[in-house]
Amino acid sequence: RIRELDKMEPFKEASFSVSVFGGEARVEQIRQTLCTLKERDTELVICTKGFVGVVKRCLSDLGLLDFFTEVYGNIGCGTYGETAYDRAADLTIDTPEEALLLGTEAQADWLTKDRLVMQLMRRSRLRREQALLVEDDPDEIRRAGSVCRTLWVREAEGMTPEHLTRLRRLTEPSCSFAPAPGAKRAAGSAATACERPMPSIAGCAPVRRSAATSLSPMT
């Protein structure tokens, strides 16, 4: 569907992915923030109530997919119901590139975001102060409050420059906490016992709402 939208107005000039992310300038702001997080050895994970394939395709189109170690979300048409378009799409053959972007059962095997974050934290042996959930749903923020730190995007219209700045500040290496045994240190902290934040970028990922697909806004 995204391939078709790229050929239609108003997406012909910039592409669907660039448009729903707010334009070239905003995509660059996001890229710079993700680069900063990666330089700090921060693991980035997406958890969305949208479709894995749509999210991965948009991120791939923007050259942002490699910043994330995993994308968790929904797969298949059964999640939100099936339309005639969905049935027709099932008869088409995916290209090898598209097949790599489609979600798997493992990526859809989760119930709530707080439980998924908890699972990921246990796998990486992280404490509450070492993980961060970025989210626009107040209920998700409330449930995750006891599990990890949170950044609530109250406007639910995508992350603003102010949110990106706060995210960078929240993930600055801090020497207030020693890493859990076996946890990987933050970049540049070899000589000190510094915190290693692992933001799980879920829910309100940096994208704006769009009525054109189920992407809105990577929730």
Side-chain angles (χ1 to χ4, degrees), residues 9-47:
E9 295 292 350
F11 309 119
K12 291 176 68 173
E13 283 192 27
S15 84
F16 172 79
S17 299
V18 170
S19 298
V20 297
F21 270 73
E24 293 284 359
R26 187 165 181 274
V27 170
E28 186 56 31
Q29 291 174 353
I30 295 167
R31 188 189 314 280
Q32 292 176 5
T33 296
L34 295 178
C35 284
T36 297
L37 298 180
K38 276 300 184 181
E39 288 171 358
R40 295 172 180 170
D41 203 19
T42 304
E43 182 179 359
L44 302 173
V45 177
I46 290 177
C47 177

Side-chain angles (χ1 to χ4, degrees), residues 160-174:
T160 64
E162 289 74 21
H163 292 124
L164 296 176
T165 297
R166 188 177 175 196
L167 176 59
R168 290 193 295 270
R169 289 175 179 171
L170 286 170
T171 55
E172 288 178 350
S174 167

